[in-house]
Amino acid sequence: MNKTENPLSKIVIVGGGTSGWIAAATLAHGFKNSDLEIELVESEQIGTIGVGEATIPSLLIVLNSLGINLDDFIKETQGSFKLGIQFEDWYAKGDSYFHPFGSIGKPIAGFDFFQCWLKSKAEGDPTPLMAHSPEYVLSERNKFFLPFEARNTPLERIFYALHLDSTLAGKYLRKFAENLGVKRTEGLIKSVAQNEEGYIESVTLDDNSQISGDFFIDCSGFKGLLIEQTLNAGYDDWSHYLPCNRAVTVQTEKTGETKPYTVSTAKEAGWTWRIPLQHRTGNGYVFCSKYISDEEATKTLLDSVEGKPLTEPRIIPFTTGLRKKAWYKNCLALGLAQGFLEPLESTAIHLVTRTLAFFIRMFPDKSCHQQLQDEFNRRVRVDYEEIRDFLVLHYCTTKREDTEFWRWCQQMKIPTSLERKIDFYKVSGGLIPGTEELFQPTSWYAILMGMQVMPERYNPALDTLDANKLSSILSQGKQGLIQIAESQPSHDEFLEKYCRAKMP
Ligand code: FAD
């Protein structure tokens, strides 16, 4: 086995939004002891999309692997903590449920906790599943916690993520990447040159300067300047499963306490988000233009926000789906250029970091071997399809009848992969964990229970467990959680003490 004879010597990243700067930071850090040159080109004239402010716990693993100090990152991005998502009015108007990060409960006598809870429920215990989620019990009380004081308590196994100001996060990552030697070039790309085989050779800017490279990462946003406009990779449109195709966004003044979770509220033709930051709140309405106009959606959003608007409402059109080939020839598409799944579970930034991890796992040399491309594209698609199915679950289980949009959701044709999962759950009360799946069974249970999809029965093997003993274990666990949660500081107290941002 030999060292490659034709290693990549220069990667050009096109685009300086969140995905461009995450790519620059990750590659610069990963290849800091090599001769790999990285140049990022972006255009202030075009700007970035400026949304993408809720994340999932995987971001913290990435920040940690880059050696970024979390407190510092939170201060610089006006961030706050996120323990999960509160879903309002999804099952029916007036109903609400919570999707916490992390796991719910711990196995009892070797049995899966969810099965234990189902058995206890069948025996008459009315305690909701969420009473056993540390993330939910804290969220309900607007608390956050001190990790070093929570050793040997149920908070030890808690998962959390961040809310962050996306523009500030971009700035932070830019500084980080530039310090590691990434070259940033300002300029509008007006043409792309390819060789005879279609591989990209260089991009030309509006001042006629040329930037050449061996490999190109397309982070140019929805249009996919390289992957689509140059290489015509093609796009699989998934609007038949997830028909929302526009969002209207507005930033508002901060009001009240900083909630340690995102709020998602179902509206007449989609749903709104509320993301609490230290200095302001991010709001948006994701909707389907077939059922509501931009003007009506904007009015609905403005009527539902809590603080005074700080920005003009902005409409963002999108098409849900995935590029047919996220890696094609010597071009990798990342972020919005790669695909789009509505931000219901805040998965876009995760997909950027996950894609980069796959790319490094299958890192090419100049030949960009076809097998690497094929396996990479297959793996990225598996992730997108898994998340797509999870998002569809939120819609297809609704019982709302009040608008045409929700009536459509009730009778929509769902992906076969999702149908199989729900059918298995209904007969067994369980789900089979996938090997590398993002959403583990507890996440699915949270949505299924929240949307009141009950299985026919619990696993009969649990009949070996004594019902009274089980009930007492569950009750103790629940009380223990309440006790420890009550003794934690409020989310705002926690931010004040450790992560208060500098004034803008
Ligand atoms: P952009 O931010 O659009 O950046 C594109 C870059 O390409 C810019 O720097 C631009 O200047 C450059 N560029 C384009 N054309 C040229 C050219 N010709 N020459 C030079 N430069 C060029 N994600 C989450 O994880 N959580 C969320 O809560 C979330 N909410 C979202 C809500 C909405 C409504 C939308 C639409 C997206 C949301 N996302 C969310 C996704 C998230 O916003 C994106 O994944 C993230 O911002 C990355 O965007 P990007 O960097 O790919 O593209």
Side-chain angles (χ1 to χ4, degrees):
M1 194 189 24
N2 299 315
K3 206 171 150 179
T4 179
E5 282 173 4
N6 54 353
L8 296 182
S9 54
K10 181 169 177 187
I11 293 183
V12 177
I13 299 171
V14 168
T18 315
S19 60
W21 284 115
I22 290 178
T26 308
L27 293 174
H29 183 263
F31 290 87
K32 60 177 179 275
N33 297 323
S34 78
D35 295 330
L36 182 69
E37 212 185 311
I38 301 168
E39 182 166 355
L40 182 148
V41 53
E42 66 175 319
S43 160
E44 274 171 17
Q45 203 179 315
I46 295 183
T48 64
I49 194 151
V51 283
E53 309 203 310
T55 66
I56 56 174
S58 57
L59 178 71
L60 300 186
I61 299 169
V62 173
L63 294 176
N64 188 37
S65 70
L66 293 177
I68 289 175
N69 177 284
L70 186 59
D71 296 352
D72 188 44
F73 185 75
I74 295 173
K75 278 180 199 154
E76 295 288 333
T77 59
Q78 297 276 354
S80 69
F81 290 95
K82 174 180 171 188
L83 292 162
I85 306 174
Q86 169 91 12
F87 288 94
E88 289 176 359
D89 298 341
W90 279 80
Y91 173 72
K93 271 190 171 175
D95 187 80
S96 88
Y97 71 94
F98 199 80
H99 173 198
F101 294 131
S103 53
I104 304 172
K106 278 203 294 200
I108 299 172
F111 290 111
D112 176 48
F113 181 83
F114 183 64
Q115 289 294 335
C116 297
W117 177 81
L118 282 178
K119 175 180 161 77
S120 188
K121 186 175 171 61
E123 303 282 352
D125 183 351
T127 312
L129 179 64
M130 284 309 134
H132 303 285
S133 155
E135 289 85 354
Y136 173 72
V137 176
L138 283 171
S139 295
E140 211 187 5
R141 291 164 174 76
N142 249 350
K143 301 274 195 180
F144 203 65
F145 69 110
L146 303 166
F148 43 89
E149 286 180 9
R151 279 192 203 107
N152 303 320
T153 79
L155 298 190
E156 211 179 30
R157 58 190 159 87
I158 223 161
F159 276 73
Y160 55 86
L162 303 178
H163 297 124
L164 45 84
D165 179 316
S166 67
T167 308
L168 297 177
K171 277 189 189 154
Y172 187 100
L173 292 166
R174 172 179 165 185
K175 200 161 110 194
F176 178 87
E178 285 184 319
N179 281 342
L180 285 173
V182 172
K183 180 180 174 196
R184 174 191 179 271
T185 301
E186 165 62 34
L188 184 73
I189 296 170
K190 58 171 200 185
S191 64
V192 182
Q194 293 167 270
N195 69 13
E196 282 165 5
E197 288 157 6
Y199 280 58
I200 297 172
E201 286 185 327
S202 63
V203 293
T204 304
L205 307 187
D206 49 355
D207 63 359
N208 288 325
S209 59
Q210 253 187 9
I211 301 173
S212 311
D214 310 314
F215 197 91
F216 290 77
I217 303 192
D218 186 350
C219 300
S220 65
F222 284 126
K223 65 176 174 269
L225 185 67
L226 307 182
I227 196 78
E228 197 59 56
Q229 294 187 347
T230 307
L231 294 173
N232 303 308
Y235 194 74
D236 282 335
D237 181 338
W238 289 341
S239 305
H240 50 292
Y241 291 135
L242 292 164
C244 287
N245 58 357
R246 290 172 99 72
V248 52
T249 66
V250 73
Q251 296 172 2
T252 54
E253 275 179 1
K254 184 179 161 62
T255 56
E257 284 184 294
T258 316
K259 303 257 191 262
Y261 52 87
T262 307
V263 180
S264 160
T265 308
K267 296 288 179 190
E268 49 275 60
W271 58 277
T272 59
W273 77 73
R274 189 179 310 140
I275 297 176
L277 299 174
Q278 291 191 36
H279 61 322
R280 63 164 171 81
T281 304
N283 312 272
Y285 182 7
V286 172
F287 61 95
C288 177
S289 61
K290 193 173 159 199
Y291 301 99
I292 195 171
S293 67
D294 287 354
E295 293 71 30
E296 287 169 307
T298 304
K299 184 174 178 323
T300 302
L301 177 66
L302 292 177
D303 287 348
S304 70
V305 297
E306 284 180 349
K308 212 168 101 196
L310 296 171
T311 54
E312 282 300 312
R314 189 162 62 102
I315 298 285
I316 304 174
F318 58 80
T319 306
T320 293
L322 171 63
R323 209 61 70 194
K324 283 189 196 300
K325 291 174 186 164
W327 177 356
Y328 188 33
K329 298 187 188 285
N330 63 338
C331 175
L332 171 79
L334 262 194
L336 302 174
Q338 180 182 84
F340 189 71
L341 292 164
E342 59 181 70
L344 187 55
E345 287 283 352
S346 327
T347 42
I349 294 173
H350 162 81
L351 282 166
V352 171
T353 57
R354 177 91 156 155
T355 301
L356 281 164
F358 288 144
F359 182 60
I360 292 173
R361 208 193 275 175
M362 300 176 216
F363 203 69
D365 55 21
K366 282 182 189 153
S367 66
C368 289
H369 215 290
Q370 191 61 45
Q371 264 101 328
L372 293 178
Q373 293 183 45
D374 291 347
E375 175 54 17
F376 174 91
N377 288 328
R378 184 196 69 78
R379 200 59 201 75
V380 169
R381 181 166 292 266
V382 166
D383 274 18
Y384 268 75
E385 287 179 350
E386 183 219 325
I387 297 171
R388 176 201 66 192
D389 286 5
F390 190 57
L391 299 186
V392 172
L393 180 72
H394 296 62
Y395 287 98
C396 68
T397 46
T398 186
K399 285 286 171 283
R400 281 185 66 153
E401 296 268 358
D402 54 307
T403 65
E404 211 183 318
F405 174 78
W406 292 107
R407 286 193 291 275
W408 178 88
C409 292
Q410 283 192 44
Q411 54 72 46
M412 71 183 285
K413 183 160 171 34
I414 64 173
T416 321
S417 40
L418 175 61
E419 206 174 313
R420 268 203 308 267
K421 209 158 194 158
I422 297 176
D423 287 350
F424 181 78
Y425 164 80
K426 280 187 177 160
V427 297
S428 68
L431 291 165
I432 300 159
T435 31
E436 277 195 303
E437 285 187 356
L438 173 62
F439 292 109
Q440 289 298 303
T442 42
S443 285
W444 288 81
Y445 297 146
I447 310 304
L448 287 160
M449 295 315 301
M451 297 304 280
Q452 308 200 15
V453 182
M454 288 301 293
E456 286 162 19
R457 59 161 174 77
Y458 61 86
N459 181 341
L462 272 89
D463 282 334
T464 53
L465 274 186
D466 177 74
N468 291 333
K469 213 163 149 192
L470 177 61
S471 165
S472 136
I473 295 172
L474 291 180
S475 166
Q476 273 173 29
K478 183 181 80 175
Q479 289 309 326
L481 269 186
I482 294 175
Q483 218 173 353
I484 182 83
E486 293 285 358
S487 65
Q488 300 307 311
S490 75
H491 185 205
D492 275 318
E493 283 165 352
F494 187 88
L495 288 169
E496 190 60 52
K497 195 159 178 192
Y498 298 100
C499 324
R500 183 54 75 199
K502 293 171 193 137
M503 291 309 283

